[in-house]
């Protein structure tokens, strides 16, 4: 209960009010005692003895006591009480203001820290973090969530910059090849034959694939990726894609080991057939590009409880060290290097899987290569 900010603030205000009231009472009592002692010293000896006797008999309010006060008290009694109250207020007002400001500052310190950090974040400084101090509860949770949001913004900004740099590099290489070879053709250095046009067409097709992949990822990030929701027999789709890649697998010297249930409908999921085909093709193409030397590709579809599971394994070198922590990050190849793909295949697989309600994991296969496991809820 004490973790609630309104409870702590209310208790702090109540404690401040009580402390101020106590100080007011003490200051009034002290001033009244000082006035009484000053009055008592001015009394004749006999009157002092008489007044002491009246106080001993609890007769301070008797007519005789009032007569003594009226005769010997210098000034108005009512004015003395008012002056006591004024002195008390003069003493308590600065104390109450000081304690009130201190309590307010203490309670709202995390809010002030968040406000200051938010101002710097708004200017693009994502390195700043708010400080919760020793507070927990709602204020500590607010600061923790703000810092998590700033962490996400900082990571997003790093990824944006890295992606922009990678895109510029990916576009610059084929454009440089096209420019150089076209200049050579224009200058007559290279003959414009079918082989040369084939080389130029390959660069253009690579650019087309890169732009298409970037468009798919940008649409997925924006939540505007067009998806159909149909019943898809995952096993039948995998068998179809594997058959269409038989020639490419043979060209790369890779033996295909396909395991898929023969019973139609056993691994039916609700997804977009074209996007699911894109997922399977990208996983197989990834193995062809990076694990062809292993000579083996394992593709399997299995039913596990309420889920249909697709696995694509190879016997290649496995995931590079830099990819193991974040295997689906974009443009994972090393700077200055470009393989046949755009470096976005696994990122697209991850985006399409997540957008359709599935999950994907990367690990090691039984033959030491990479293994990708895609899981979707099964339709009964």
């Amino acid at each position: 209960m004490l973790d609630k900010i309104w409870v702590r603030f209310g208790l702090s205000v109540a404690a401040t009010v009580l402390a101020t009231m106590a100080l007011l009472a003490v200051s009034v009592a002290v001033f009244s005692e000082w006035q009484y002692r000053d009055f008592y010293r001015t009394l004749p000896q006999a009157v002092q003895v008489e007044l002491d006797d009246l106080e001993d008999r609890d007769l301070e309010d008797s007519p005789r006591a009032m007569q003594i006060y009226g005769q010997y008290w210098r000034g108005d009694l009512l004015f003395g009480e008012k002056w006591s109250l004024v002195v008390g207020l003069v003493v308590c007002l600065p104390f109450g203001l000081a304690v009130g400001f201190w309590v307010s500052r203490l309670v709202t310190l995390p809010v002030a820290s968040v406000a200051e950090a938010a101002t710097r974040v708004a200017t693009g400084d994502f390195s700043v973090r708010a400080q919760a101090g020793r507070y927990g509860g709602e204020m500590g949770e607010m600061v923790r969530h703000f810092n998590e949001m700033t962490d996400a913004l900082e990571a997003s900004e790093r990824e944006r910059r890295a992606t922009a740099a990678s895109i510029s590099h990916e576009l610059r290489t084929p454009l440089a090849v096209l420019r150089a070879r076209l200049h050579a053709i224009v200058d007559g250095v290279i003959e414009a034959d079918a082989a040369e046009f084939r080389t130029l067409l390959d660069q253009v097709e690579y650019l087309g694939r890169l732009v298409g992949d970037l468009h798919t990822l940008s649409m997925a990030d924006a939540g505007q990726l067009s998806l159909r929701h149909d019943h898809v027999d995952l096993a039948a789709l995998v068998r179809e894609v594997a058959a269409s890649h038989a020639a490419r697998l043979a060209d790369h010297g890779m033996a295909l080991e396909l395991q898929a249930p023969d019973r139609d409908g056993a691994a039916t999921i609700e997804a977009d057939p074209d996007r699911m085909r894109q997922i399977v093709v990208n996983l197989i193409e990834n193995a062809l590009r990076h694990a062809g030397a292993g000579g083996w590709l394992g593709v399997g579809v299995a039913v596990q409880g309420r889920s249909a599971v697709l696995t694509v394994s190879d016997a290649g070198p496995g995931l590079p060290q830099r990819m193991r922590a974040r295997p689906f990050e974009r443009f994972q190849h090393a700077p200055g290097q470009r393989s046949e793909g755009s470096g976005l295949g696994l990122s697209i697989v991850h985006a399409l899987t997540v957008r359709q309600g599935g999950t994907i994991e990367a690990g090691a296969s039984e033959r030491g290569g990479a293994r990708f496991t895609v899981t979707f809820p099964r339709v009964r």
Side-chain angles (χ1 to χ4, degrees):
M1 189 67 174
L2 292 178
D3 286 340
K4 303 294 185 182
I5 179 61
W6 60 272
V7 173
R8 292 203 305 269
F9 191 77
L11 291 176
S12 301
V13 171
T16 302
V17 171
L18 290 176
T20 305
M21 292 175 60
L23 181 62
L24 176 63
V26 170
S27 61
V28 169
V30 170
F31 185 77
S32 298
E33 181 66 20
W34 175 80
Q35 281 188 317
Y36 177 79
R37 289 181 181 274
D38 183 65
F39 156 74
Y40 187 80
R41 284 195 302 268
T42 63
L43 295 176
Q45 184 66 31
V47 177
Q48 289 182 357
V49 172
E50 183 181 2
L51 185 60
D52 290 340
D53 179 64
L54 291 173
E55 291 180 352
D56 291 339
R57 291 185 295 161
D58 294 331
L59 298 175
E60 297 92 340
D61 298 328
S62 64
R64 176 55 185 162
M66 293 297 101
Q67 182 183 6
I68 294 174
Y69 285 118
Q71 181 179 355
Y72 293 98
W73 188 278
R74 291 178 297 181
D76 189 3
L77 284 175
L78 183 60
F79 176 78
E81 294 179 356
K82 291 181 178 179
W83 184 248
S84 299
L85 182 60
V86 169
V87 171
L89 290 176
V90 169
V91 173
C92 294
L93 185 60
F95 171 80
L97 289 175
V99 174
F101 283 129
W102 178 76
V103 169
S104 176
R105 175 64 176 170
L106 193 64
V107 171
T108 61
L109 185 61
V111 177
S113 178
V114 169
E116 181 181 356
T119 302
R120 294 177 59 183
V121 168
T123 63
D125 182 7
F126 298 110
S127 63
V128 65
R129 297 294 182 273
Q131 302 298 324
R134 58 186 180 86
Y135 284 99
E138 293 172 316
M139 301 298 279
E141 285 292 310
M142 178 190 68
V143 172
R144 184 174 65 82
H145 290 318
F146 176 84
N147 289 337
E148 289 176 353
M149 179 195 70
T150 308
D151 291 339
L153 289 174
E154 186 177 23
S156 178
E157 178 64 13
R158 280 198 310 267
E159 183 177 352
R160 184 191 66 80
R161 292 179 179 178
T163 300
S166 298
I167 290 174
S168 64
H169 169 74
E170 293 293 331
L171 293 174
R172 186 173 60 248
T173 302
L175 287 175
V177 173
L178 286 170
R179 184 183 299 110
R181 301 190 78 87
L182 287 172
H183 275 298
I185 292 175
V186 171
D187 295 339
V189 178
I190 299 177
E191 182 180 356
D193 55 9
E196 183 59 28
F197 288 140
R198 180 73 257 177
T199 301
L200 297 178
L201 181 60
D202 288 341
Q203 297 299 322
V204 173
E205 288 180 345
Y206 171 77
L207 286 173
R209 289 196 302 271
L210 177 60
V211 172
D213 291 345
L214 289 172
H215 179 263
T216 299
L217 286 175
S218 63
M219 294 295 286
D221 291 341
Q224 297 178 355
L225 193 64
S226 60
L227 295 171
R228 292 180 11 228
H229 296 281
D230 296 334
H231 286 186
V232 179
D233 188 340
L234 185 58
L237 185 143
V238 168
R239 286 196 296 266
E240 175 191 338
V241 174
S244 65
H245 277 70
R248 283 179 53 77
L249 291 170
D251 292 341
H252 285 75
M254 297 186 73
L256 174 64
E257 182 179 336
L258 178 62
Q259 296 180 351
D262 295 331
R263 182 164 58 90
D264 291 338
T268 299
I269 62 175
E270 184 175 348
D272 187 318
D274 295 332
R275 298 301 185 182
M276 289 305 303
R277 184 175 288 102
Q278 191 175 0
I279 289 174
V280 180
V281 168
N282 280 11
L283 290 175
I284 294 177
E285 289 292 336
N286 180 75
L288 288 173
R289 284 193 298 268
H290 303 291
W296 176 80
L297 177 66
V299 180
V301 176
V303 175
Q304 297 179 1
R306 298 183 179 180
S307 301
V309 182
L310 164 68
T311 57
V312 178
S313 309
D314 59 62
L319 293 174
Q321 185 66 35
R322 67 179 182 277
M323 289 183 60
R324 292 178 183 175
R326 303 179 66 181
F328 305 107
E329 190 176 12
R330 302 168 189 184
F331 298 109
Q332 288 277 11
H333 45 253
Q337 297 180 1
R338 179 167 66 88
S339 61
E340 181 184 347
S342 63
L344 299 173
L346 293 180
S347 301
I348 291 176
V349 170
H350 179 267
L352 294 179
T353 301
V354 172
R355 284 287 298 158
Q356 296 184 99
T359 60
I360 181 169
E361 297 177 354
S365 70
E366 60 273 17
R367 301 199 183 190
R371 177 188 180 96
F372 296 95
T373 304
V374 181
T375 305
F376 277 92
R378 190 162 56 94
V379 176
R380 294 188 175 183

